[in-house]
């Protein structure tokens, strides 16, 4: 069975009542909303989210939607709203987006990064795809539902969060720890990390829907040696030992581990390209898949890259200690393998400590929510092929998983074939196609009524 028709075997919620389509007004409004969101400089770590959060609460209130503004620290603001669904007996769906963005260096950009300018069919600015686009889609869809009296199929919890770009200490993780009541009854969640289009050819697109994430294993390595004069022989030089350990880690080729979402995506891509996917010859299969395999390289295996090094204070002094940082990532089910590999590569004088250690996640690609996401994509893009997807990085979903919530990444963004989406993430000239925003409201509007 291929991934794309897997959904049809599952029970889907009753769709006998026709869905209320997203109005023209809501599709126009999403563009204005996104532009206004971009104009709040919510750079993390230099700014805070309070003004932006107040504005979000205001846009919801205008449509009669109550929300709660929760500050985890002065200025670090989150907004949570609950919208009653048609069937209160079913578990609620959490829809989350973050209000903060990574900083931008205006001198590198073609447009001022916080101007929210429209040019050539795109809305430009920091956060345009990460992820004020989705935040705008959430607000536009909620306002559309409120204006038209449209009810979601089940209760919705909308969460507009602080601090995602720095790990969610003042956002998702804080709320999960201090205000779990806000998520009472939530069984599933959608957030960033999937639901965008990836061009297969001139007409067909994959829509990777995230149902897995790699875990984070950021570590600090410390080498301890014998301090001494820089001119004397020293076989316990901390700098040498650390450098050697780092070189081994950096040059290590981790073995391919084909986890289910990655396999499913590659198989569907092979089907669409009309080429064979042979599990006994993964390298050969990947070659046949061209751009898809480039896109998937990062989730084929664990990884560990040395990123920082700190040692010494004078050329002629051998320090007794040297430290370095390594960015390690592991696939679901392969954490121990990463740890064992690192420990094998370290020289005996080098120890490691976690700087940031967070879980990998994986849930199955099935059930009514998955069916509804796939159906919403296909309805709005008949040449769209939804597939499971493993996110190479991490999102706020890691926090919500701790509450037993089943987390997916799904935004509903159709992109032009010539746009390099990956490069725009945290990149220069970040921008979102206006048509993509309108598409998002149509998809989200369907999803909320049918999930
Ligand atoms: Zn993001």
């Amino acid at each position: 069975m291929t991934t794309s028709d897997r959904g049809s075997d599952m029970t889907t919620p009753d769709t006998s009542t026709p869905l209320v389509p997203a109005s023209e007004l809501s599709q126009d409004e999403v563009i204005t909303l996104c532009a206004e969101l971009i104009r709040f400089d919510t750079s993390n770590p230099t700014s805070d989210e309070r003004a932006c959060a107040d504005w979000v609460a205001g846009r919801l209130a205008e449509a009669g939607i109550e929300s709660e503004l929760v500050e985890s620290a002065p200025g670090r603001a989150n907004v949570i709203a609950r919208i009653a669904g048609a069937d209160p007996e079913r578990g609620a769906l959490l829809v989350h987006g973050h209000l903060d963005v990574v900083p931008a260096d205006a001198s590198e950009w073609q447009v001022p990064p916080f101007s929210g300018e429209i040019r050539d069919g795109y809305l430009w600015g920091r956060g345009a795809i990460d992820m004020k686009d989705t935040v705008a889609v959430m607000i536009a869809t909620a306002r559309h539902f409120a204006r038209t009296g449209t009810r979601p199929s089940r209760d919705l919890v909308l969460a507009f969060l602080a601090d995602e770009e720095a790990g969610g200490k003042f956002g998702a993780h804080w709320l999960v720890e201090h205000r779990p009541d806000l998520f009472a009854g939530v069984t599933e969640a959608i957030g960033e990390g999937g639901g965008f289009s990836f061009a297969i050819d001139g007409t067909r697109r994959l829509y990777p829907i995230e149902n897995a994430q790699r875990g984070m294993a950021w570590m600090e390595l410390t080498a301890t040696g014998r301090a001494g004069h820089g001119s004397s022989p020293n076989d316990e030089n901390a700098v040498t030992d650390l450098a050697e350990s780092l070189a081994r880690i950096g040059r290590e080729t981790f073995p391919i581990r084909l986890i289910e979402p990655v396999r499913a995506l590659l198989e569907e891509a092979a089907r669409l390209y009309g080429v064979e996917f042979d599990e006994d010859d993964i390298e050969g299969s990947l070659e046949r898949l061209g751009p898809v395999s480039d896109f998937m390289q990062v989730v084929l295996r664990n990884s560990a890259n040395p990123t920082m090094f700190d040692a010494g204070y004078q050329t002629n002094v051998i320090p007794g200690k040297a430290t370095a940082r390594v960015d390690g990532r592991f696939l679901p089910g392969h954490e121990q393998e990463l740890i064992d590999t690192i420990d094998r590569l370290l020289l005996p004088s080098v120890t490691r400590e976690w700087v940031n250690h967070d879980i990998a996640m994986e849930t199955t690609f099935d059930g009514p929510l998955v069916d509804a996401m796939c159906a919403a994509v296909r309805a709005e893009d008949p040449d769209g092929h939804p597939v499971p997807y493993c996110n190479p990085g991490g999102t706020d979903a890691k926090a919500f998983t701790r509450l037993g919530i089943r987390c997916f990444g799904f935004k509903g963004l159709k992109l032009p074939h010539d746009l390099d989406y990956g490069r725009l993430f945290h990149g220069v000239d970040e921008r979102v196609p206006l048509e993509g925003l309108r598409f998002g409201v149509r998809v989200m509007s369907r999803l909320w009524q049918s999930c």
Side-chain angles (χ1 to χ4, degrees):
M1 182 164 42
T2 63
T3 306
S4 62
D5 58 25
R6 178 176 304 179
S8 56
D9 296 339
M10 302 281 175
T11 347
T12 41
D14 177 27
T15 47
S16 47
T17 17
L19 302 185
V20 178
S23 62
E24 278 303 315
L25 172 63
S26 64
Q27 294 181 60
D28 290 341
E29 191 177 68
V30 69
I31 295 166
T32 331
L33 289 167
C34 189
E36 290 190 47
L37 280 162
I38 287 171
R39 288 180 197 129
F40 289 96
D41 179 352
T42 51
S43 296
N44 196 351
T46 52
S47 307
D48 65 44
E49 299 89 355
R50 180 61 200 248
C52 186
D54 282 332
W55 179 88
V56 169
R59 299 293 75 71
L60 295 174
E62 268 174 4
I65 303 164
E66 275 177 44
S67 63
E68 183 176 348
L69 192 136
V70 184
E71 272 196 342
S72 52
R76 308 313 302 267
N78 303 271
V79 177
I80 315 289
R82 215 171 246 268
I83 299 176
D87 183 356
E89 299 303 309
R90 294 184 56 209
L93 175 71
L94 167 66
V95 185
H96 58 99
H98 60 84
L99 298 177
D100 64 320
V101 295
V102 292
D105 178 352
S107 69
E108 299 172 332
W109 285 56
Q110 291 184 49
V111 302
F114 298 101
S115 63
E117 204 173 306
I118 291 174
R119 193 193 277 191
D120 307 326
Y122 286 86
L123 172 60
W124 297 58
R126 176 57 84 223
I129 55 161
D130 184 14
M131 65 175 294
K132 286 177 170 169
D133 57 332
T134 315
V135 170
V137 165
M138 289 162 64
I139 299 171
T141 310
R143 285 164 62 97
H144 165 66
F145 274 44
R147 276 196 301 261
T148 55
T150 307
R151 274 208 295 179
S153 51
R154 50 172 159 155
D155 286 3
L156 289 182
V157 175
L158 305 184
F160 304 90
L161 302 165
D163 198 37
E164 192 275 343
E165 296 294 358
K169 255 199 336 281
F170 296 106
H173 281 284
W174 191 91
L175 292 169
V176 162
E177 195 171 325
H178 296 95
R179 292 294 309 275
D181 57 297
L182 293 168
F183 310 102
V186 172
T187 52
E188 291 171 310
I190 57 171
E192 64 182 323
F196 50 87
S197 67
F198 181 91
I200 284 285
D201 51 31
T203 54
R204 298 175 301 171
R205 286 161 289 277
L206 291 177
Y207 282 85
I209 296 176
E210 181 203 293
N211 66 328
Q213 283 187 5
R214 294 206 299 178
M216 317 242 281
W218 294 4
M219 57 197 101
E220 180 160 283
L221 304 182
T222 304
T224 313
R226 177 160 47 85
H229 198 286
S231 67
S232 308
N234 188 323
D235 58 3
E236 294 171 55
N237 184 323
V239 178
T240 309
D241 282 7
L242 187 58
E244 190 173 333
S245 302
L246 288 175
R248 290 181 179 189
I249 291 170
R251 296 221 165 83
E252 176 74 7
T253 306
F254 289 84
I256 290 181
R257 301 289 183 221
L258 211 52
I259 62 167
E260 184 47 35
V262 176
R263 177 205 317 272
L265 188 150
L266 293 173
E267 278 177 354
E268 176 68 352
R271 192 185 69 79
L272 292 170
Y273 280 123
V275 299
E276 191 199 355
F277 184 78
D278 178 4
E279 233 180 89
D280 296 326
D281 176 22
I282 291 174
E283 300 284 359
S285 300
L286 289 170
E287 260 170 48
R288 291 190 283 274
L289 290 173
V292 175
S293 70
D294 295 344
F295 166 58
M296 296 302 284
Q297 278 301 331
V298 63
V299 286
L300 288 173
R301 35 167 67 93
N302 288 340
S303 63
N305 280 304
T307 49
M308 296 166 79
F309 195 111
D310 184 26
Y313 51 88
Q314 172 59 287
T315 311
N316 62 359
V317 179
I318 298 170
K321 207 177 100 172
T323 60
R325 295 270 174 106
V326 171
D327 179 351
R329 311 282 176 135
F330 52 91
L331 290 165
H334 296 281
E335 179 176 9
Q336 195 55 46
E337 185 180 23
L338 176 74
I339 295 171
D340 292 345
T341 307
I342 297 291
D343 288 347
R344 171 170 60 76
L345 298 172
L346 295 180
L347 293 188
S349 60
V350 181
T351 57
R352 66 168 166 80
E353 243 183 307
W354 298 126
V355 179
N356 187 355
H357 189 198
D358 210 341
I359 53 167
M361 306 163 20
E362 183 175 0
T363 183
T364 50
F365 198 69
D366 57 11
L369 174 61
V370 168
D371 290 347
M373 290 189 286
C374 295
V377 163
R378 289 196 196 103
E380 293 298 334
D381 182 358
D383 293 313
H385 297 265
V387 281
Y389 173 61
C390 176
N391 186 334
T395 69
D396 282 336
K398 289 195 194 304
F400 297 119
T401 301
R402 295 184 198 279
L403 293 176
I405 296 172
R406 218 177 149 214
C407 292
F408 296 90
F410 183 78
K411 63 180 351 183
L413 177 63
K414 185 180 168 193
L415 298 159
H417 281 196
D418 54 356
L419 185 73
D420 188 343
Y421 182 62
R423 258 196 34 201
L424 293 178
F425 257 86
H426 298 190
V428 170
D429 292 336
E430 185 177 343
R431 59 196 183 275
V432 64
L434 303 182
E435 274 312 311
L437 288 171
R438 300 171 68 92
F439 180 84
V441 176
R442 297 200 298 272
V443 166
M444 205 56 86
S445 181
R446 280 180 183 277
L447 177 65
W448 290 4
Q449 293 174 74
S450 59
C451 67

